[in-house]
Amino acid sequence: MNIHEYQAKQLFLEYGIPVPDGKPTSASENAAEIAKLLGGESWVVKAQVHAGGRGKVGGVKLTKNSAETVSLSKAMLGTRLVTQQTDAAGLPVNQVLIEKTYPIERELYLSLLVDRTSERMVFIASAAGGMDIETVAHETPEQIQSVKINPITGLQGYQCRLVAYSLGLKGQQHKALEKIMQGMVGLMLEKDASQIEINPLIVTDKGELMALDAKINFDDNALALHPDIMAFKDPSQEDDRENIAQQFGLNYITLEGNIGCMVNGAGLAMATMDLVKLKGGKPANFLDVGGGTNVEKVCEAFKLILSDHNVKAVLVNIFGGIVKCDVIAQGILAAIQEVHVTIPVVVRLEGTNVEEGRVLLSNTGLNLYAADDLAHAAEQVVALAGESA
Ligand code: GDP
Ligand code: MN
């Protein structure tokens, strides 16, 4: 799960990581008052969306006039921000963060993530902050310093000094960086974050370090342990279909193709998508309806798939292990009728009572094709999607 910058900065404060003074608002008319309360001589208005790259597309605006924060906020609130990291529709801006600005001497990069290969938390640091770190890693890998943390010994002082030297920090800044790095490790471990990114981490004209931006990802599987983090959830920043799927216990991810896939079991769903690709088609989604599926879930799954207007044909691939194939077939028929599916649906069933299931699905008068093997089913759905496109 992602959270907003202002929420991440609240967590940073709890863990002793310095951030600019600021306050979020959803009402532009409050902006000037907030700016005055913050004090200082210049302010920044930042669109709060679950994506980076805001600076390049007008989602971060500076002003020396506190009254102007109102018009800047007004221009952002209620719009959708499209950045390099969003899709073409962008994300809705429902809140802006008003912050006091600080003269920037240097912009650095610092993140903490999980390196699955070495099974360690790893710090990534670079003096080339404020930029796209993937580009830095690609073009000038020598500008990136990484430090792996041994889970037994934890973060060591020498590791912080190594990072501090590589960032060109001096004197008191070493201690300040160590405190920030320790805060990041504490936050990651205690709140089950999977990634914490500060880009940029700035050095102010007074030589102080401060997190000017903040991005945190959390491990969805640990959220049940952290009601405080769960409270940060903002469904407006997430895919509508994925939100609905969650309510019905369906595992759904939107993709860009035109073949809707409905499968029980994540592994089978992956294999099905691979096969569709192999046969020259493009899946419109990943959808795992779960092991013990029922008519209601199959109906909801059809509704989800059909709400994507790119979908030209559907492939249902269900293995009847816990649920019998004839029960599934009845569910599919009920769902197709209830949801008024008109595009072609190819169904491949396998498992207990498969014969009874196939009989139910044949000669229905519906746009329904019962396939007996998976490779054939995939070929058929690719051909049908091509015809109806
Ligand atoms: P992102 O583009 O979504 O990653 O948003 P950031 O919060 O990283 O802001 C983008 C850029 O705007 C930063 O790299 C800074 O150069 C600039 N910026 C953001 N906040 C301030 C600020 O308080 N003062 C100044 N001078 N520049 C800022
Ligand atoms: Mn940034």
Side-chain angles (χ1 to χ4, degrees):
M1 188 182 88
N2 287 325
I3 63 173
H4 286 294
E5 174 192 8
Y6 79 89
Q7 297 164 329
K9 282 177 169 169
Q10 263 168 254
L11 287 168
F12 277 8
L13 280 180
E14 279 178 41
Y15 284 84
I17 301 165
V19 300
D21 287 337
K23 198 173 178 246
T25 180
S26 54
S28 54
E29 62 271 20
N30 295 341
E33 183 141 348
I34 293 173
K36 278 203 193 104
L37 280 173
L38 294 172
E41 284 155 15
S42 83
W43 299 271
V44 63
V45 178
K46 306 182 82 177
Q48 297 298 288
V49 290
H50 285 187
R54 297 164 301 168
K56 292 195 186 91
V57 295
V60 177
K61 295 270 188 178
L62 293 153
T63 177
K64 287 191 156 67
N65 175 351
S66 64
E68 206 195 351
T69 56
V70 175
S71 54
L72 291 175
S73 303
K74 203 167 183 176
M76 287 180 200
L77 287 165
T79 64
R80 296 182 75 93
L81 196 68
V82 180
T83 83
Q84 263 178 357
Q85 296 179 13
T86 68
D87 61 16
L91 290 169
V93 183
N94 299 322
Q95 290 166 98
V96 291
L97 174 62
I98 318 285
E99 277 182 347
K100 197 163 133 180
T101 64
Y102 300 79
I104 301 175
E105 202 95 302
R106 292 172 62 213
E107 296 196 11
L108 313 171
Y109 176 95
L110 183 64
S111 70
L112 179 60
L113 36 105
V114 180
D115 175 37
R116 287 168 189 270
T117 311
S118 60
E119 301 175 2
R120 296 272 193 279
M121 289 195 287
V122 55
F123 271 105
I124 308 286
S126 175
M131 294 195 261
D132 177 27
I133 197 67
E134 280 84 6
T135 310
V136 178
H138 189 71
E139 285 166 12
T140 48
E142 69 281 359
Q143 289 204 49
I144 292 195
Q145 173 76 50
S146 71
V147 164
K148 285 179 188 151
I149 304 170
N150 183 313
I152 308 290
T153 54
L155 179 65
Q156 300 283 298
Y158 79 90
Q159 295 183 306
C160 298
R161 287 191 288 281
L162 190 69
V163 173
Y165 281 119
S166 80
L167 293 176
L169 299 178
K170 304 200 170 62
Q172 287 302 310
Q173 293 169 348
H174 279 221
K175 274 271 162 269
L177 183 78
E178 181 164 351
K179 199 169 163 237
I180 291 172
M181 289 173 73
Q182 271 162 354
M184 289 167 80
V185 171
L187 173 53
M188 183 172 262
L189 291 176
E190 285 168 27
K191 303 290 185 190
D192 287 306
S194 50
Q195 189 169 346
I196 303 174
E197 186 184 62
I198 306 178
N199 188 23
L201 172 71
I202 58 160
V203 182
T204 67
D205 60 338
K206 297 199 177 80
E208 287 161 344
L209 298 183
M210 196 175 269
L212 212 65
D213 194 5
K215 283 201 179 57
I216 311 182
N217 289 323
F218 293 91
D219 179 352
D220 289 345
N221 293 315
L223 282 177
L225 301 172
H226 303 290
D228 57 333
I229 303 298
M230 197 92 105
F232 285 147
K233 191 174 175 64
D234 182 353
S236 80
Q237 302 293 312
E238 292 164 15
D239 184 290
D240 281 342
R241 282 192 288 271
E242 289 172 20
N243 287 330
I244 295 169
Q246 249 175 24
Q247 285 171 21
F248 289 94
L250 302 164
N251 223 329
Y252 175 93
I253 294 161
T254 304
L255 300 170
E256 281 163 359
N258 63 358
I259 297 175
C261 299
M262 186 192 309
V263 189
N264 67 335
L268 192 60
M270 299 292 272
T272 306
M273 290 162 59
D274 278 351
L275 206 57
V276 166
K277 278 228 122 175
L278 189 69
K279 300 295 180 187
K282 274 194 183 157
N285 65 278
F286 168 95
L287 173 58
D288 168 16
V289 290
T293 191
N294 55 34
V295 178
E296 196 205 4
K297 275 194 175 182
V298 173
C299 277
E300 287 307 323
F302 267 119
K303 283 187 205 161
L304 273 178
I305 290 177
L306 295 176
S307 67
D308 177 353
H309 296 295
N310 292 327
V311 173
K312 299 295 177 229
V314 180
L315 173 59
V316 180
N317 180 22
I318 305 245
F319 181 81
I322 302 171
V323 193
K324 296 187 181 75
C325 288
D326 52 332
V327 176
I328 295 165
Q330 281 161 2
I332 293 169
L333 289 174
I336 289 182
Q337 276 154 346
E338 191 189 318
V339 188
H340 303 296
V341 182
T342 51
I343 55 173
V345 179
V346 178
V347 184
R348 181 262 184 177
L349 292 178
E350 198 52 80
T352 314
N353 289 1
V354 65
E355 290 310 327
E356 291 90 325
R358 282 192 195 138
V359 169
L360 281 169
L361 293 179
S362 55
N363 303 320
T364 56
L366 299 168
N367 201 356
L368 191 64
Y369 302 79
D372 40 17
D373 83 83
L374 183 50
H376 182 220
E379 260 163 36
Q380 206 173 7
V381 78
V382 172
L384 287 164
E387 281 167 28
S388 62

